[in-house]
Amino acid sequence: MVGTVEGRKGYSQALEAFEVLWGRGEDVSLVIVGKEGWLVQDLVKRIRSHPELGERLLWFEDLGDEQLSELYCSCRALLMASESEGFGLPLVEAARAKAPLIARDLPIMREVTGGSAFFFKGETAVELADSIEEWFDLFNKGVHPKPDGVPWRTWAQSSKQLSEAILAMERQGCKDPVSGLEEPL
């Protein structure tokens, strides 16, 4: 899992799901990459005092881009359990490294991945654990969704797309294309 450790990112559910998996005898690890967010003191305390910390539970709070890239290349899958998401950049980063994607079934996740992910809907730890086991079964058979269809743009392509959108808004008579107001702030 990659992203700031905060409530809406689904870290609590994921940790509980992995506890279920470990209880079922699954030989899996949960690797968290992200800084501590806000209003997550209880979760952080739970992670830092977890008996699996340093074993099957790893937390990297300050990882460089090169190390993150290596993790994407070596992981079995990226888990994106966010309950709400603005974009989901880790999905694109992981897909570029050919890491399979397991994502909560949200419209933004489907849009960002182009549908090239395994989607789950469970709200409980057991439901997520069951979904992960379902993904394991697909993975072991070699029929899991591959991240090949995830669209991604370079910074140059993204900048060009933004410029085109701004120019289109200006042609429509918008004086301040960012805010949409007739007069800039």
Side-chain angles (χ1 to χ4, degrees), residues 100-165:
L101 309 170
I102 301 171
R104 188 176 303 278
D105 194 358
L106 300 175
I108 189 64
M109 304 288 199
R110 287 191 176 272
E111 179 183 340
V112 169
T113 65
S116 295
F118 176 86
F119 297 100
F120 71 92
K121 293 186 180 199
E123 299 295 322
T124 69
V126 170
E127 289 171 314
L128 178 53
D130 291 346
S131 293
I132 292 171
E133 284 186 323
E134 181 183 346
W135 182 86
F136 286 153
D137 186 50
L138 296 172
F139 180 82
N140 290 333
K141 293 175 183 173
V143 295
H144 64 288
K146 310 292 187 292
D148 304 336
V150 175
W152 59 274
R153 293 181 173 84
T154 64
W155 282 111
Q157 292 168 324
S158 297
S159 297
K160 182 179 180 203
Q161 183 182 15
L162 177 61
S163 296
E164 290 170 355

Side-chain angles (χ1 to χ4, degrees), residues 166-175 182:
I166 290 171
L167 291 172
M169 291 179 74
E170 286 178 344
R171 284 191 295 274
Q172 294 173 0
C174 182
K175 301 289 184 205
E182 285 298 315

Side-chain angles (χ1 to χ4, degrees), residues 18-19 37 43-44 62 66 99 133 140 179:
F18 274 77
E19 290 169 340
L43 174 59
V44 167
D62 192 21
E66 187 174 311
E133 284 186 323
N140 290 333
S179 71

